[in-house]
Amino acid sequence: MTKYIFVTGGVVSGLGKGITGSSLGVLLKNSGLKVFMQKFDPYLNVDPGTMSPYQHGEVYVTEDGAETDLDLGHYERFIDENLTRNSSVTSGRIYLSVLEAERRGDWDGKTVQVIPHITDEIKKKVYAAKNSGADVVITEIGGTVGDIESQPFIESIRQIRMELGRENVLFIHVPLLPYLKVSNEYKTKPVQHSVKEMLSLGIQPDIIVPRSESDIPKEVRDKISLFCNIPLENVIVAPDETSIYHVPITLYNQNLHRIVAKQLGLQLKPTKIEPWKDFLKKLESSQKELQLYIVGKYVELKDAYLSVVESLQIAGFENGYKVKIEWIQAGNLNDSNYEQILKNAKGILVPGGFGQRGIRGKILAAKFARENNIPYLGICLGMQIAAIEFAQNVLKIKNANSTEFDPTTSNPIIDIIKGKDTENLGGTLRLGLYQTKLKSNTLAHKLYASDFAYERHRHRYEFNNNYREQFQNAGMIFSGEYLEKNLIEIIEIPSHKFFIAAQYHPEFTSRPNKPNPLFNGFIKAIIQQ
Ligand code: GLN
């Protein structure tokens, strides 16, 4: 029987419910259970695919091509399982299915209501998670308890507990525990109020993980236990940490996994926590700094490149270095200042992106890296940029461009996939996992140490095969290809120290102790110079 764990948040958002849930996932998985994770987001967008990174940070892409919340990236990096589109559910998605059913006449003329129609649809999504074959499904409810938007989700999980019972469903609540400097004490009132709010919605949390600045005194835990009606051991201390990767150990030390297992009647094997401790050791012993530049559009908002940053850090730790990223706003680079601004770069990464803004700056960054033998890693748009730059400056092809930026260019080096819907922005991309055949004796082949790479995509435009020969004659090689459709996946310049760019997003497959090969190679190349 599948067991369900729901993680809710209280007082404020952004406390790390996702990290708490995935850390528990780490402990359960390493105790021999199969874990699946889900995030319910209360907003009305059908998926985060068309949301601005300013709103939402990066869009994380699953193997099956769902465009999801960045929390899924944390989940995957923590529990090291490939999640699916069923892991990311928004209110918009729920309402859309219910309303589509209404238009089809599926509801037989009944009045369509939040309870039961919306809540039934939510429950369906929860129960569908057992198709993953998981022993335990951990579901994070986005937002904060008490929000109007999240109420249908709270009501649904209340019903699930009623349907399946306390031995199959467990509630973890993660509220803010504020510290008052003036009186030098922790104040439990907001925690109490937020639990009261849950009680008014019919839910008594089983475990409370108050989020605090530092370790909390026993009296404070006692107080939470007493006022919130849970055993003392079910108050789990979760202070701010220097790295999110510490959280599984913090929870492990308080036996969170055993408390959960006891209530849910789960059999745990001895927890294999060593690999995780090894990773932390690498992280902590990585003192030397390694500098590189990221030239992008949303540089003031690091969450827009979250998986790229995590991938760089993970690869850095693997090699004993802490990566220090210099963020360069692509829009600030122009023909007269780019050499000055980039002159100290030890490595240059151009990440994915959409739209015209900052394109010239990114092209100049690729040019600078190519001409000065600086390690370059291009991701998705960063690959298209490298190809356009090569066409403009090496092949001297006039107007070389992508039709995304110049729809009438006479030399569309990067062009739309024929037959694609260009009217609707949502859901018209090449998304998800594709197999890349790697050419032998290339950098890509060496890095992956395999004939194939399996990576995730999220883009609309492709390298235009009409230009292949010209590129090859001038020394660029196409080391990765999606054979079925003849699509270029990886380009590289073998005469360069390290110049490689991929049409896919390698950042989504890095895991602690297992950096993605392109990132690992990039970091090694920077170290070696
Ligand atoms: N804008 C480009 C495209 O649609 C690249 C997308 C990306 O970098 N994710 O093909």
Side-chain angles (χ1 to χ4, degrees), residues 39-109:
K39 166 105 192 250
F40 284 156
D41 270 309
Y43 50 77
L44 289 175
N45 304 65
V46 174
D47 63 42
T50 51
M51 282 166 89
S52 155
Y54 288 115
Q55 293 288 310
H56 206 261
E58 112 185 328
V59 171
Y60 190 80
V61 182
T62 54
E63 279 198 342
D64 64 349
E67 300 176 271
T68 73
D69 185 84
L70 53 74
D71 265 310
L72 258 73
H74 287 311
Y75 298 172
E76 286 206 6
R77 281 186 289 275
F78 272 65
I79 65 172
D80 192 16
E81 292 282 339
N82 296 317
L83 301 172
T84 66
R85 67 180 58 252
N86 198 29
S87 293
S88 174
V89 181
T90 68
S91 289
R93 165 81 56 207
I94 298 284
Y95 274 85
L96 188 66
S97 350
V98 171
L99 295 178
E100 276 171 355
E102 190 272 338
R103 292 291 82 182
R104 281 195 307 268
D106 290 3
W107 304 124
D108 274 346

Side-chain angles (χ1 to χ4, degrees), residues 5-11 15-17 19-21 23-24 170-177 191 194-195 205-212 216 221 224 228 230-241 247 250-251 254 256 259-260:
I5 297 171
F6 296 100
V7 185
T8 53
V11 188
L15 292 173
K17 294 188 292 290
I19 301 297
T20 308
S23 297
L24 173 60
L170 181 141
F171 296 125
I172 299 181
H173 190 51
V174 184
L176 176 72
L177 176 67
V191 172
S194 126
V195 170
D206 300 299
I207 293 172
I208 296 177
V209 184
R211 282 284 294 105
S212 54
I216 56 179
R221 289 179 58 215
I224 293 173
C228 300
I230 59 169
L232 180 63
E233 60 169 14
N234 289 22
V235 183
I236 304 290
V237 184
D240 293 348
E241 311 260 14
V247 180
T250 303
L251 303 184
Q254 296 172 78
L256 177 62
I259 296 168
V260 165

Side-chain angles (χ1 to χ4, degrees), residues 93 95 125 139 195 208-209 383 388 459 511:
R93 165 81 56 207
Y95 274 85
K125 296 285 182 199
T139 304
V195 170
I208 296 177
V209 184
M383 176 269 200
I388 295 168
H459 64 111
R511 306 281 181 263

Side-chain angles (χ1 to χ4, degrees), residues 98-153:
V98 171
L99 295 178
E100 276 171 355
E102 190 272 338
R103 292 291 82 182
R104 281 195 307 268
D106 290 3
W107 304 124
D108 274 346
K110 288 202 194 80
T111 309
V112 180
Q113 293 177 299
V114 173
I115 306 174
H117 299 93
I118 296 297
T119 46
D120 280 354
E121 188 65 27
I122 293 170
K123 287 195 289 181
K124 243 198 258 166
K125 296 285 182 199
V126 174
Y127 291 139
K130 65 167 181 269
N131 300 337
S132 62
D135 302 306
V136 183
V137 176
I138 302 174
T139 304
E140 175 188 354
I141 311 292
T144 310
V145 170
D147 295 348
I148 292 180
E149 286 89 347
S150 59
Q151 271 198 27
F153 289 114

Side-chain angles (χ1 to χ4, degrees), residues 417 430-438 452-455 457 459 462 465 468 478-490 503-504:
I417 312 163
R430 177 151 83 109
L431 283 166
L433 195 76
Y434 287 85
Q435 183 194 58
T436 296
K437 171 84 174 76
L438 303 172
F452 295 99
Y454 298 86
E455 300 279 9
H457 295 67
H459 64 111
E462 304 279 356
N465 284 327
R468 262 198 213 202
F478 301 104
S479 49
E481 193 172 345
Y482 172 45
L483 289 179
E484 216 168 288
K485 292 261 160 72
N486 285 325
L487 298 175
I488 295 298
E489 295 278 18
I490 311 175
Q503 186 57 79
Y504 51 76

Side-chain angles (χ1 to χ4, degrees), residues 350 358-360 362-364 366 376 380-390 405 414:
V350 176
I359 293 303
R360 181 69 194 153
K362 291 178 194 176
I363 290 178
L364 292 169
Y376 178 86
C380 205
L381 178 66
M383 176 269 200
Q384 300 175 353
I385 290 286
I388 295 168
E389 190 280 318
F390 196 83
F405 316 127
I414 306 293

